[in-house]
Structures are given as C-alpha cells and as structure tokens.
Amino acid sequence: MTLADVLAGAEKTYQIAGTAKHPHEVTLTADDMKTLLRGELLRAKSTQGLTHTHRVHVRCAPAEDPPEWVTVCAAEFSGKDEHEVVITASDMDAGTDKTYDVQGLAGHAHKLTLTAADFQKLKKEGAISIQTSRLEEDSHMHVVIIRYPRPKRG
C-alpha cells in the first residue's frame, strides 16, 4: 500500500500472500484510510484462504518494524476470539509488572497483566499459563499460554 492510497481515502482491496505463498485479500474502507491518516494502528482480517484467515496490521510506518511492535513471545488464547499480545524484548529485559491490551482482531478488549514473577518464570522455564481480565458484558475470559523465546518458524 502506498501513502497515495491513504491520502486518496478511497476503499481499496490489496492482494497479500506472505511467506506461505497462497493468496489472500484485504479490503480497506474509506474509514480505514482515515484511521491510518490519524497515525493509528488498523486491525483487519484477510479473506478466507484454504481453511483460514490472517490477522493484518496496517499502519503508516517506516519500512522496518520498530522494536516496540515486535513480539518475542508466542501466545495461544483459549476460545476463538482472535486476541493477541505483543511482548517486546524491552518488556522481557525490564521484567517488571505490565498490563497489555490484548484485543487483536476480536470485537472486544481484555487486559492481561504479567507480573515480575511471570517474566522471571518465562525466562527460566520458557512458558506460563495466565488468565485475561473478564469481560463485563458476559463475564468471559481467556486462558493464555505464553512461550519464550518465540519458536522459530520452519
């Protein structure tokens, strides 16, 4: 996508393939373009391909992701709400209590708090299991398994 597309502000569909080499599309609406113009992160979902969709994050940004956008952990959430968490290298280095917004592509947000003890356990044992906050509307929550370091993709 180009800055010209964002400035034009019109709906546009993009072809995406990633490393898997099979095609998907993502359509950004005129409202999505306004979100990008405000410098905000846009969360979108690709079209269904084979048996799955992909999370797509779009932001007007430098060509290379800055460290604060890159997770060093893998996280698996219970349920099918498509939540996610970005735990950065600096978070791991600091090892202090931190609360994350784990909305991801879900239509609602949860909070996930990692304590200093959780960071220590991740560094020592490589994995933790933790719960998100409960959603007020229906009291649901998720169990999250976090692994560090993030497994390498083969």
Side-chain angles (χ1 to χ4, degrees), residues 112-129:
L112 180 72
T113 300
L114 272 67
T115 64
D118 293 326
F119 282 109
Q120 288 175 352
K121 187 173 181 182
L122 268 172
K123 290 176 187 176
K124 184 177 180 183
E125 299 177 22
I128 61 170
S129 177

Side-chain angles (χ1 to χ4, degrees), residues 22-24 46-54:
H22 54 271
H24 291 272
S46 73
T47 55
Q48 181 86 21
L50 301 174
T51 59
H52 62 279
T53 59
H54 291 277

Side-chain angles (χ1 to χ4, degrees), residues 5-16:
D5 291 345
V6 176
L7 292 172
E11 181 173 303
K12 187 165 181 180
T13 298
Y14 298 89
Q15 305 292 318
I16 57 174

Side-chain angles (χ1 to χ4, degrees), residues 90-104:
S90 62
D91 294 344
M92 290 300 296
D93 291 342
T96 56
D97 294 7
K98 184 163 183 181
T99 299
Y100 298 89
D101 174 332
V102 296
Q103 181 170 347

Side-chain angles (χ1 to χ4, degrees), residues 75-78 85 87 98-100 102 111-119 121-122 127-133 141-147:
E76 297 172 36
F77 286 78
S78 63
V85 61
I87 302 170
K98 184 163 183 181
T99 299
Y100 298 89
V102 296
K111 299 293 183 198
L112 180 72
T113 300
L114 272 67
T115 64
D118 293 326
F119 282 109
K121 187 173 181 182
L122 268 172
I128 61 170
S129 177
I130 193 167
Q131 295 178 342
T132 66
S133 61
M141 49 163 255
H142 299 275
V143 174
V144 186
I145 298 171
I146 301 173
R147 291 184 174 79

Side-chain angles (χ1 to χ4, degrees), residues 19 151-154:
T19 58
K152 303 274 189 230
R153 292 191 177 189

Side-chain angles (χ1 to χ4, degrees), residues 26-40:
V26 63
T27 299
L28 302 183
T29 66
D31 284 341
D32 292 338
M33 298 302 184
K34 290 175 187 172
T35 297
L36 294 171
L37 275 175
R38 289 191 304 269
E40 297 174 16

